[in-house]
């Protein structure tokens, strides 16, 4: 019985692989579909920046690295999306500015140290809805998933995949809705259902991926809004966006201009500030970094990475 079940599973995966292969072989047609779906969903919204288009692969560019274990980034960015997590995660590079407080955005001369990776650091491509639905995505199916993608159970890659699925399955914290979306259509539909058809979408953009000290240009800090959806691109064998929406509007977003000490390097970073952290797990790494405890007046801010998106109604 187990052999029959496994054979059926592999049959599904084979069909999915064929469909994905057709999509890659006809990148132009895939691009037309993606652009058409975007324009239909957001008829009042201009096309997003080139960085966002690249992240969503709106052009449908042919890729050999966006699907399968070769799409995994074995040195992922620091996970900052699990606000209710009980894990006390340790930043990979302790001298980076992982968290800060809201008043820092208005403090003249405030400096931050960031490593803003290239968007291509996460090569995983969003699948079509039809293909994404045909592939299991759950902890209970992890052994079969690893077998199909040729990932050894005790490897680093398997651990990253397991972590992504577990984060997606974890319950949302109070006043938050969270969803993991695995196709361009589902990502767009989720945004439309929550924000409408007139939206703006932002991501952090940088000129270099080297660790850099930046000064915040406080006079240029721009408030984006407090009705937002934040989507983090997860580390997985195909495109997965962990999206959450904050229903009480106590989370505010800003576009922050940054400039290096010598003025030679600039960046535009999306900052998200959580104005009420009372429902967060006390063991969250943010409180250790800031030497604070959860509270409705304790603000925790962080910059979004270059593989995250922020959506707001226009």
């Amino acid at each position: 019985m187990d052999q029959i079940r496994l054979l059926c599973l592999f049959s599904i995966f084979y069909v999915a692989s064929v469909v994905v292969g057709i999509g890659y072989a006809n990148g132009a047609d895939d691009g037309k579909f993606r652009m058409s779906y975007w324009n239909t969903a957001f008829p009042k919204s201009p096309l997003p920046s080139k960085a966002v288009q690249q992240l969503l692969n709106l052009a449908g560019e042919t890729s050999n690295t966006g699907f399968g274990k070769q799409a995994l980034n074995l040195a992922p960015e620091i996970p900052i999306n699990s606000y209710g997590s009980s894990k006390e995660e340790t930043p990979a590079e302790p001298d980076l500015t992982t968290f800060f407080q809201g008043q820092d955005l208005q403090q003249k001369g405030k400096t931050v140290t960031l490593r803003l990776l290239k968007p291509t650091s996460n090569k995983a491509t969003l699948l079509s809805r039809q293909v994404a639905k045909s592939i299991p995505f759950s902890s209970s199916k992890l052994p079969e998933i690893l077998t199909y993608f040729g990932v050894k159970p005790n490897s680093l890659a398997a651990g990253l995949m397991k972590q992504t699925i577990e984060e997606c399955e974890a319950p949302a914290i109070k006043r938050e809705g969270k969803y993991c979306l695995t196709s361009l259509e589902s990502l767009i539909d989720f945004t439309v259902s929550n924000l409408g058809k007139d939206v703006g979408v932002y991501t952090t953009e940088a000129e270099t991926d080297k660790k850099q000290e930046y000064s915040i240009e406080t006079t240029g800090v721009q408030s984006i809004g407090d009705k937002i959806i934040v989507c983090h691109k997860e580390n997985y064998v195909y495109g997965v966006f962990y999206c959450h929406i904050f229903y009480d509007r106590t989370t505010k977003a800003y576009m922050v201009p940054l400039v290096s000490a010598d003025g030679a390097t600039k960046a535009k970073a999306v900052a998200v500030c959580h104005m009420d952290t009372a429902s967060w797990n006390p063991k969250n790494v943010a409180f250790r970094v800031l030497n604070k405890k959860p509270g409705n007046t304790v603000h925790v801010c962080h910059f979004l990475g270059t593989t995250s998106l922020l959506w707001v109604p226009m």
Side-chain angles (χ1 to χ4, degrees), residues 136-152:
F137 185 81
S138 69
S139 296
S140 63
K141 300 289 186 182
L142 185 59
E144 292 95 327
I145 296 171
L146 296 179
T147 297
Y148 171 71
F149 286 108
V151 177
K152 295 181 180 179

Side-chain angles (χ1 to χ4, degrees), residues 1-11 13 143-144 147:
M1 182 63 69
D2 287 343
Q3 289 180 335
I4 294 175
R5 181 168 169 270
L6 192 59
L7 180 61
C8 291
L9 179 65
F10 273 96
S11 297
F13 277 134
E144 292 95 327
T147 297

Side-chain angles (χ1 to χ4, degrees), residues 60-82:
E61 296 177 358
T62 307
S63 172
N64 294 319
T65 59
F67 181 78
K69 63 181 180 180
Q70 63 269 27
L72 283 164
N73 173 22
L74 300 183
E77 294 185 75
I78 299 167
I80 55 175
N81 49 322
S82 300

Side-chain angles (χ1 to χ4, degrees), residues 174-204:
K174 188 178 180 181
R175 301 188 300 274
E176 175 202 27
K178 61 180 283 287
Y179 305 87
C180 278
L181 306 169
T182 57
S183 70
L184 179 71
E185 300 100 304
S186 61
L187 181 61
I188 289 176
D189 292 351
F190 173 74
T191 303
V192 170
S193 65
N194 285 281
L195 301 181
K197 292 193 170 188
D198 190 5
V199 303
V201 56
Y202 303 85
T203 189
T204 293

Side-chain angles (χ1 to χ4, degrees), residues 8-87:
C8 291
L9 179 65
F10 273 96
S11 297
I12 293 173
F13 277 134
Y14 176 78
V15 172
S17 299
V18 171
V19 175
V20 171
I22 292 173
Y24 286 152
N26 297 279
D29 292 339
D30 184 45
K32 289 180 181 178
F33 168 76
R34 287 170 177 263
M35 198 65 74
S36 174
Y37 202 89
W38 177 277
N39 290 332
T40 300
F42 304 123
K44 298 181 180 180
S45 301
L47 275 175
S49 68
K50 185 177 180 179
V52 173
Q53 291 187 50
Q54 182 182 28
L55 193 53
L56 295 175
N57 194 24
L58 288 180
E61 296 177 358
T62 307
S63 172
N64 294 319
T65 59
F67 181 78
K69 63 181 180 180
Q70 63 269 27
L72 283 164
N73 173 22
L74 300 183
E77 294 185 75
I78 299 167
I80 55 175
N81 49 322
S82 300
Y83 303 120
S85 174
S86 61
K87 295 182 294 183

Side-chain angles (χ1 to χ4, degrees), residues 148-268:
Y148 171 71
F149 286 108
V151 177
K152 295 181 180 179
N154 296 322
S155 64
L156 174 59
L160 292 172
M161 293 170 66
K162 181 175 183 289
Q163 178 181 316
T164 291
I165 294 175
E166 288 178 345
E167 286 182 353
C168 289
E169 293 177 338
I173 63 173
K174 188 178 180 181
R175 301 188 300 274
E176 175 202 27
K178 61 180 283 287
Y179 305 87
C180 278
L181 306 169
T182 57
S183 70
L184 179 71
E185 300 100 304
S186 61
L187 181 61
I188 289 176
D189 292 351
F190 173 74
T191 303
V192 170
S193 65
N194 285 281
L195 301 181
K197 292 193 170 188
D198 190 5
V199 303
V201 56
Y202 303 85
T203 189
T204 293
E205 300 180 42
E207 297 175 355
T208 178
D209 60 355
K210 296 180 180 179
K211 184 165 63 175
Q212 183 83 38
E213 184 177 273
Y214 296 94
S215 294
I216 296 175
E217 295 188 319
T218 55
T219 56
V221 174
Q222 175 189 358
S223 175
I224 299 176
D226 60 3
K227 185 179 181 181
I228 63 175
I229 293 175
V230 178
C231 295
H232 307 280
K233 194 174 186 184
E234 293 289 303
N235 202 8
Y236 203 65
V237 286
Y238 53 84
V240 174
F241 276 94
Y242 174 118
C243 297
H244 38 181
I245 183 169
F246 305 94
Y247 297 118
D248 59 1
R249 303 182 76 161
T250 61
T251 300
K252 302 182 184 297
Y254 303 87
M255 183 60 73
V256 181
L258 304 170
V259 60
S260 62
D262 60 4
T265 305
K266 294 185 178 181
K268 295 188 299 181

